[in-house]
Amino acid sequence: MVDMATAISTKNLTKVFRTATKEPGLKGSIRSTFRPSVREIHAVKGIDLEVERGEVVAFIGPNGAGKSTTIKMLTGILYPTSGEANVLGFVPWRDRESLSYKIGSVFGQKSQLWYHLPPSDTFNLLAKIYEMDRGEYGKRKDFLVQAFEIGPFFNQPVRKLSLGQRMRCEIAASLLHGPEVIFLDEPTIGLDVVARQNVRQTLKRWNDEEKATVFLTSHDVGDIEYLADRVIIINHGQVVMDDKVKNLKYHYLNKKIVDLRVSGEVKLPALEGVKIVKQAKSGLKLEVDTEVIDINAAVSHILKECEVQDISISDRPLEDIIAAIYQREEVAP
Amino acid sequence: MTEVGRHRQGASWSKKIAKYVEMLRITVLTDLAYAYDMLSRQLFLAVVMFVFVKLWSATYRWEGAVSIGGYTMRQMLWYLALTESISMSTPRTAADIDDDVRSGSLAYSLTKPYKYPWFLYAKHMGKALVGFSGSLIIAGAVVWIAVGPPPVTALSCALGLLTALLACTLDFWAQVAIGLSAFWIEDGSPYRLLYSRVKMLLGGMLLPLELFPDVLRRVVAFLPVGQIYHGPVKTFVSLSLHEFVGTVAKQVLWTIVFIALAGAVYKAGVRRVNVHGG
């Protein structure tokens, strides 16, 4: 029996892919024709999850960690090898159609918009697919067009839209039928900084209003910081961390990487919270501990001390954070 | 929970059908977005029909006959205009399915409340409708100039349209069964090629079945390939109610066979959906 407050739950959810392998050369080809060898890829290894209704959960991990495979099992696309899953009271792969009315999904690498037609045509099609009443559809469309600010290009063919505009339409389209749970798989993938921020702000604005359950995968920590309340980190098919985002921020997202391209030789005086990671002839890589010094203060200081040609500020890569989590676990009793 | 996020499973049949009709409409819109490109691609058909006009004019003159295989020259050339138009406009649904299976698009469609094969059917019919109209404009124009208007009546048109619809449906389900084999086989293109060539050579695309050797004609007249070109086109240009009833019966029978086959393949195949992480 599933608790009504629980939106998503999984128990020992496992997925193993079996892939045929071929040995190199003619001999190998002939051999594998008659005796094909199969390699097993353990994409998801016994995951247990509980997501409450209304929660915004970031499900993150590096490439190949198993996050997309998990999302595909939760949306009913893939059958698991073993284990259980329940989404809004349905077993996703068994009750696909019933579940599809209640969930929405955005797969960053798979568009549901018709490329040669304007988004408005895709919206009309989706309204029919989800069997919406005309009045209900009109109201919902107006709300989403406004919330996602897609009105100015709503009637332009999708092929003429920028990636950011397209993604906003994509997300709005997936929310048209008012899903109770929305799965966002890499919604900001391939977007530039401005478009990424725009998509994040729009999603935030929408969810502040609708309070839906959001299950978000990304390998961009910025998405998580901005949108999620809780973060689940997965690596090699296993959950390595399940905590509040504020705890993740406190322990692992308190460092920013500042990359500088400078002219001339640089002699940066020591500053508490700023560590030189790498120094080259015309480049400098710094790590700023934001618990010790504000990033703005650190950058002002740097700009005063050297002639900067280019600067970029980024979060620690997810791989570093995961390595830090493992280290912390090893150190902790 | 959102206001509109409720289960709509109890929706009426009209709403369930409306989604496939909308799919057909949107496919037509997409194909019409490039109507001029499509027409220019099919200009080649004008050359093909011109060759047929010259070839059959010479044949009828040489034979000194008014009809060959029961077809007058006007019927023969309109027969060919229609079969060529069908051939040129048949959507490559088997290849699309193959692509959907391999790229994972089929998998993503599983998150939407529609039946993938019926959605493809709507798409297939939409594409066929636009493609056939375009081809017929080109092929029909050449034949009309050469031998005059088509030898049809209101009844032969109505019944011809019905058999054409059934032929398109039959061809669609045969293609689904072939396309879904992508779940098991590495490369489905040889099977698709074999199907299309058998359909073209034995199905009456280049010659009416009446001109085939007797044994071959009898066999092909029963097989599904005989119901895709010859059946409907014969109904248009030389209606025989007896043959029409036979054609419809065979079309329905073979469609049921292919629906059952495609359904079984789909059910078994969908468990094999493999989409690796993004």
Side-chain angles (χ1 to χ4, degrees):
Chain A
M1 189 71 191
V2 183
D3 179 2
M4 288 307 286
T6 306
I8 301 166
S9 71
T10 70
K11 217 169 149 188
N12 205 20
L13 193 65
T14 302
K15 181 70 189 177
V16 180
F17 290 109
R18 290 164 62 84
T19 314
T21 54
K22 237 175 200 169
E23 290 170 40
L26 182 65
K27 236 179 173 180
S29 283
I30 295 167
R31 196 176 301 140
S32 47
T33 305
F34 295 102
R35 253 173 62 199
S37 58
V38 174
R39 191 166 66 97
E40 287 195 339
I41 302 163
H42 294 259
V44 176
K45 299 172 189 165
I47 282 184
D48 294 328
L49 293 176
E50 285 278 326
V51 177
E52 301 291 306
R53 282 177 192 255
E55 254 190 309
V56 179
V57 176
F59 189 63
I60 63 172
N63 285 335
K67 52 190 192 304
S68 288
T69 303
T70 306
I71 240 183
K72 279 163 194 154
M73 286 192 279
L74 294 177
T75 49
I77 290 177
L78 289 178
Y79 282 76
T81 307
S82 63
E84 296 167 21
N86 195 299
V87 179
L88 299 167
F90 296 102
V91 176
W93 48 91
R94 198 189 62 201
D95 310 316
R96 267 187 198 132
E97 194 170 342
S98 305
L99 180 65
S100 64
Y101 288 91
K102 295 193 153 203
I103 61 167
S105 50
V106 173
F107 295 96
Q109 290 168 327
K110 206 87 214 171
S111 177
Q112 61 177 329
L113 301 171
W114 283 66
Y115 189 66
H116 297 294
L117 298 177
S120 53
D121 278 321
T122 302
F123 274 57
N124 290 340
L125 176 64
L126 287 170
K128 294 273 184 306
I129 288 176
Y130 287 101
E131 297 159 18
M132 297 174 78
D133 292 327
R134 194 185 287 263
E136 177 192 12
Y137 167 51
K139 267 198 270 177
R140 188 76 188 154
K141 184 177 73 178
D142 292 346
F143 164 70
L144 290 168
V145 166
Q146 203 184 7
F148 282 72
E149 295 170 355
I150 54 178
F153 44 84
F154 196 54
N155 291 311
Q156 267 176 36
V158 170
R159 65 174 189 275
K160 292 186 176 164
L161 306 184
S162 71
L163 261 182
Q165 291 172 330
R166 217 177 283 177
M167 186 47 79
R168 269 150 61 201
C169 291
E170 196 78 59
I171 298 170
S174 70
L175 300 173
L176 188 66
H177 60 293
E180 292 171 40
V181 176
I182 173 99
F183 293 92
L184 300 169
D185 191 9
E186 306 280 6
T188 57
I189 200 162
L191 301 185
D192 62 38
V193 183
V194 179
R196 203 179 302 161
Q197 191 56 18
N198 209 327
V199 167
R200 283 175 193 158
Q201 282 168 349
T202 314
L203 270 170
K204 181 93 181 148
R205 212 169 39 237
W206 158 76
N207 201 42
D208 285 346
E209 194 149 333
E210 297 223 318
K211 307 271 181 254
T213 310
V214 179
F215 196 83
L216 162 84
T217 77
S218 179
H219 55 253
D220 183 338
V221 281
D223 288 351
I224 293 110
E225 270 188 283
Y226 198 86
L227 294 166
D229 315 317
R230 179 180 153 201
V231 61
I232 298 169
I233 300 184
I234 179 174
N235 195 27
H236 302 305
Q238 287 172 313
V239 172
V240 293
M241 182 186 172
D242 183 350
D243 208 342
K244 294 272 173 212
V245 169
K246 64 177 182 197
N247 290 342
L248 180 83
K249 268 186 190 170
Y250 181 75
H251 292 300
Y252 305 104
L253 297 181
N254 52 0
K255 293 194 174 70
K256 297 267 180 198
I257 305 294
V258 179
D259 268 304
L260 298 161
R261 201 149 57 80
V262 290
S263 48
E265 209 179 315
V266 184
K267 279 185 186 155
L268 202 64
L271 183 67
E272 203 186 351
V274 178
K275 194 171 89 184
I276 297 175
V277 181
K278 209 161 116 186
Q279 185 161 15
K281 207 175 174 185
S282 58
L284 198 59
K285 190 175 188 175
L286 307 169
E287 188 182 83
V288 178
D289 187 340
T290 51
E291 291 290 310
V292 180
I293 181 169
D294 181 65
I295 186 74
N296 293 314
V299 170
S300 317
H301 175 78
I302 295 162
L303 292 174
K304 252 189 263 168
E305 295 298 328
C306 45
E307 207 175 307
V308 175
Q309 288 182 330
D310 197 6
I311 183 167
S312 75
I313 305 168
S314 56
D315 290 299
R316 285 169 82 186
L318 201 53
E319 286 76 3
D320 283 6
I321 295 171
I322 290 168
I325 290 167
Y326 281 130
Q327 273 171 10
R328 202 178 142 88
E329 274 179 1
E330 276 167 21
V331 172
Chain B
M1 193 202 300
T2 60
E3 194 192 324
V4 286
R6 61 178 188 272
H7 199 192
R8 298 182 181 87
Q9 260 204 315
S12 64
W13 274 103
S14 62
K15 278 192 169 180
K16 295 217 174 284
I17 291 169
K19 60 180 89 175
Y20 303 107
V21 175
E22 181 65 17
M23 180 65 188
L24 189 145
R25 194 186 76 88
I26 210 165
T27 305
V28 170
L29 284 181
T30 306
D31 283 14
L32 284 178
Y34 295 98
Y36 288 117
D37 290 5
M38 183 192 72
L39 278 176
S40 61
R41 271 200 308 273
Q42 290 180 343
L43 277 177
F44 168 71
L45 194 53
V47 179
V48 173
M49 289 319 299
F50 180 74
V51 171
F52 274 137
V53 168
K54 290 291 168 199
L55 195 68
W56 283 103
S57 303
T59 308
Y60 274 88
R61 223 178 16 248
W62 178 265
E63 289 281 319
V66 177
S67 80
I68 296 175
Y71 293 82
T72 63
M73 193 166 95
R74 189 154 69 108
Q75 282 173 319
M76 181 67 81
L77 286 170
W78 274 104
Y79 176 99
L80 292 168
L82 286 162
T83 56
E84 287 296 325
S85 299
I86 295 173
S87 167
M88 290 287 283
S89 59
T90 301
R92 293 174 181 180
T93 300
D96 289 348
I97 296 172
D98 191 290
D99 191 43
D100 280 356
V101 171
R102 289 180 211 287
S103 69
S105 296
L106 185 148
Y108 291 100
S109 77
L110 300 175
T111 61
K112 298 272 185 289
Y114 59 72
K115 308 280 184 217
Y116 173 75
W118 290 105
F119 218 62
L120 278 182
Y121 176 62
K123 209 170 161 182
H124 181 94
M125 297 308 264
K127 275 180 175 294
L129 183 69
V130 177
F132 179 73
S133 310
S135 302
L136 193 60
I137 289 171
I138 306 275
V142 176
V143 175
W144 195 307
I145 292 166
V147 290
V152 292
T153 61
L155 183 64
S156 76
C157 271
L159 299 182
L161 275 176
L162 175 68
T163 51
L165 191 72
L166 288 169
C168 205
T169 306
L170 167 59
D171 180 53
F172 166 76
W173 286 105
Q175 288 204 50
V176 172
I178 294 166
L180 286 175
S181 62
F183 279 118
W184 290 273
I185 55 175
E186 279 286 320
D187 181 11
S189 56
Y191 302 96
R192 296 199 298 274
L193 189 72
L194 185 69
Y195 171 68
S196 86
R197 293 301 173 266
V198 167
K199 205 168 61 173
M200 282 162 83
L201 293 173
L202 296 180
M205 189 192 100
L206 297 167
L207 276 179
L209 296 194
E210 285 79 0
L211 300 182
F212 282 22
D214 196 45
V215 178
L216 183 62
R217 182 182 59 78
R218 282 169 195 272
V219 173
V220 173
F222 178 72
L223 292 178
V225 289
Q227 322 313 320
I228 293 169
Y229 291 117
H230 182 79
V233 174
K234 177 89 192 282
T235 309
F236 269 114
V237 299
S238 172
L239 174 66
S240 141
L241 284 177
H242 173 72
E243 277 187 62
F244 162 76
V245 172
T247 300
V248 169
K250 282 178 271 185
Q251 285 176 325
V252 171
L253 172 77
W254 283 114
T255 302
I256 291 169
V257 169
F258 281 115
I259 288 180
L261 182 64
V265 174
Y266 180 69
K267 214 172 163 185
V270 86
R271 287 192 68 95
R272 296 174 63 96
V273 164
N274 258 10
V275 219
H276 292 268

